[in-house]
Amino acid sequence: MTNLVRQSAERVQTCYKCEHRRQDLCAIDGVAILDKATDSEGQCREQRWPAGPELKPTTTGGFGVKLPELRIVSDEPPPSLPARLARAPRPVRSPYPRVGIIYPMWMNGGVERHTETLIQNASGVKWTGLAAVGPDFVDRDKLAQMSRYLPVGGEELIDRISEESDFVIVWGFSKPQKWLEKLDGRVIAMAHGTGEWTAAQLTQTLPYAAGAVAVSRQAVSSFPTSWRATCRVILNGIDLNRLAPMADGREIRGSLEIPIRSTVIGHVGRLSEEKNPLAAAKVALNMGRDAVALYVGDGPCGKDIISRAESIAPGQVRWLREAPFIGTVYQALDVLLMASDAEGGPLVVPEAWAAGIPVVATPVGIIPELEEKHGPLTYRIRIGATGAEMAAACNVAVSLGRTGTWWQDKARQVAFLELNAARFGRNWEMFLIDLWNMKA
């Protein structure tokens, strides 16, 4: 088969089975490849850019050089492997960063959704493994589901991750871990929140860190002053596929015995004290018998928190421990209440924006920086607001939300354009490739 010729406006079908192709780079000598094809005997045929300026990823995505004119490879068979290695301008290495992940838990919270979305969308990264090493807070079934994307396991996987990874994302360990010494200079320290606990776990990981990432400007404050200038802020990305409703919201209400005319106040996420989950029950109590507090999620103290919520608003509390089709659940809400004292993200806020649900929230996480840029996106309440104050805000949100407001439309646009999963994955790719190039 003669070589394929590509004119300036033509596209040539790429053979993704070529063993030399790794993203847009040739794994043998590192040059950027235009297209790959195989001849009738399965032999690799390559068309590539001629020698020119080195291609380096930019922080905005893509390769920041002007592409030179193409040349067409002759019909001669490609050089042998030794000949290619002999002419390689630099030592051969993996054409993409290899990254592992080590956490102390794996449940069904925002960190887990953040991680799964990252793995799915950072396609320029080779994921070497996910180790969840905590004995108490690991849902083995949910962890096993991640084996679709990468090797998963517990502490026994740490050695493999250490051997095969250029970098390892570490989060959540507030006590010393001996295995961190194996990762010296390769750890990516993560801040998913703010406050003393986040600062404590960063104290354990930063001595071994090559880089640092925070999910918002507020989360950067958890790092020591010496790290804040170099910490990369990468806003969370939402998986829009999760938000596709699989049924009418009225079906969810019916299955939970929620009257169709009730006002439903949603608390979505992990049930833990720092997220102020009892706020939804207090709002339901203050709004009257037609209001229902719907809790979606679980946590180590989940049963205790729900019991306390029911004691605050008897008969007005419903609990969904799991919601695989969260888009359907959002359609059952009249308003999302996020009354946390502190947050890093959180993911539930842009999810609700994308689903068109009004949000009543404290000024935490990504909310202040996005509202500074775009104007009002939420119905704001103060940290420590009373049940009556929160109920008043929810009443306004529900009344206006049923007809829609200009800032609900803006919030949905912000979620789709700035907080989508593809952009999130690309931002992480660029961060890791920048570190990887500096390491080389």
Side-chain angles (χ1 to χ4, degrees):
M1 182 179 84
T2 60
N3 280 339
L4 299 172
V5 180
R6 172 176 170 170
Q7 303 298 334
S8 59
E10 283 184 318
R11 290 182 62 85
V12 180
Q13 182 178 4
T14 296
C15 175
Y16 289 98
K17 296 181 179 179
C18 176
E19 63 180 357
H20 301 149
R21 185 182 180 86
R22 296 293 186 274
Q23 301 302 316
D24 295 318
L25 297 177
C26 176
I28 292 179
D29 57 13
V31 300
I33 297 172
L34 170 66
D35 282 294
K36 292 276 192 175
T38 57
D39 61 19
S40 57
E41 299 178 358
Q43 189 172 14
C44 177
R45 296 280 189 177
E46 303 173 14
Q47 292 178 314
R48 52 178 75 170
W49 307 114
E54 183 180 3
L55 301 177
K56 294 197 174 187
T58 66
T59 56
T60 56
F63 291 95
V65 298
K66 182 179 179 181
L67 298 176
E69 295 294 324
L70 296 177
R71 65 180 174 84
I72 301 173
V73 180
S74 70
D75 284 328
E76 298 177 2
S80 63
L81 178 59
R84 292 177 185 227
L85 295 177
R87 74 183 189 198
R90 55 183 180 273
V92 179
R93 63 169 181 159
S94 170
Y96 38 70
R98 302 165 301 167
V99 183
I101 302 168
I102 303 177
Y103 290 165
M105 64 182 72
W106 191 264
M107 300 292 285
N108 192 32
V111 171
E112 289 83 358
R113 295 207 308 277
H114 169 282
T115 305
E116 183 172 3
T117 303
L118 172 60
I119 292 169
Q120 289 174 327
N121 289 276
S123 57
V125 174
K126 169 65 175 178
W127 298 100
T128 58
L130 166 62
V133 301
D136 300 322
F137 303 123
V138 177
D139 187 321
R140 297 296 172 186
D141 292 335
K142 294 188 183 302
L143 182 63
Q145 292 173 11
M146 295 297 295
S147 63
R148 294 174 291 176
Y149 312 116
L150 75 174
V152 301
E155 197 163 350
E156 74 283 354
L157 191 60
I158 290 179
D159 285 341
R160 175 178 172 181
I161 290 175
S162 175
E163 293 171 1
E164 297 181 1
S165 302
D166 299 303
F167 303 107
V168 180
I169 300 171
V170 179
W171 166 84
F173 295 94
S174 56
K175 296 180 180 179
Q177 306 293 321
K178 292 183 179 180
W179 47 262
L180 278 169
E181 297 177 2
K182 304 176 184 178
L183 307 177
D184 192 15
R186 293 184 287 156
V187 168
I188 307 297
M190 277 293 308
H192 280 281
T194 59
E196 295 181 2
W197 183 85
T198 301
Q201 61 99 4
L202 289 173
T203 300
Q204 302 301 324
T205 54
L206 285 174
Y208 309 97
V213 175
V215 296
S216 67
R217 286 201 318 231
Q218 281 197 3
V220 175
S221 65
S222 298
F223 285 90
T225 306
S226 58
W227 275 90
R228 293 178 187 175
T230 55
C231 177
R232 184 76 64 92
V233 175
I234 303 178
L235 300 183
N236 285 331
I238 55 174
D239 181 359
L240 297 175
N241 290 326
R242 293 182 75 245
L243 301 179
M246 304 299 290
D248 192 294
R250 289 174 293 184
E251 295 184 26
I252 294 291
R253 292 189 177 212
S255 67
L256 295 172
E257 299 181 352
I258 299 174
I260 195 65
R261 297 185 182 278
S262 292
T263 298
V264 181
I265 304 102
H267 174 97
V268 180
R270 189 174 73 253
L271 295 178
S272 57
E273 295 295 339
E274 69 272 13
K275 293 183 178 293
N276 192 14
L278 297 180
K282 294 176 183 177
V283 168
L285 177 67
N286 279 271
M287 291 181 71
R289 297 298 302 174
D290 287 337
V292 172
L294 175 57
Y295 289 88
V296 184
D298 201 353
C301 303
K303 290 183 179 179
D304 176 63
I305 288 172
I306 294 301
S307 177
R308 289 156 59 195
E310 289 174 339
S311 68
I312 292 172
Q316 295 177 259
V317 172
R318 303 291 189 275
W319 186 21
L320 271 177
R321 301 182 72 165
E322 289 190 53
F325 303 112
I326 191 65
T328 304
V329 175
Y330 278 119
Q331 298 308 310
L333 304 182
D334 289 296
V335 61
L336 177 79
L337 177 63
M338 203 281 297
S340 300
D341 295 340
E343 283 281 355
L347 273 172
V348 295
V349 169
E351 283 184 349
W353 287 344
I357 307 302
V359 176
V360 173
T362 48
V364 296
I366 61 173
I367 295 172
E369 62 191 272
L370 291 176
E371 290 192 329
E372 178 183 320
K373 180 178 179 181
H374 298 286
L377 301 171
T378 65
Y379 299 84
R380 182 171 292 192
I381 54 175
R382 66 182 179 88
I383 295 174
T386 65
E389 290 173 329
M390 293 185 288
C394 287
N395 268 321
V396 172
V398 171
S399 298
L400 296 178
R402 284 173 176 156
T403 57
T405 63
W406 67 268
W407 65 81
Q408 276 178 242
D409 293 337
K410 175 58 71 71
R412 177 178 281 181
Q413 184 180 33
V414 169
F416 274 94
L417 297 181
E418 297 193 26
L419 301 169
N420 64 75
R423 184 169 183 168
F424 164 69
R426 188 59 174 164
N427 288 339
W428 262 97
E429 280 184 30
M430 291 300 98
F431 166 71
L432 291 168
I433 290 173
D434 285 346
L435 277 184
W436 187 60
N437 284 337
M438 287 190 288
K439 182 179 177 180

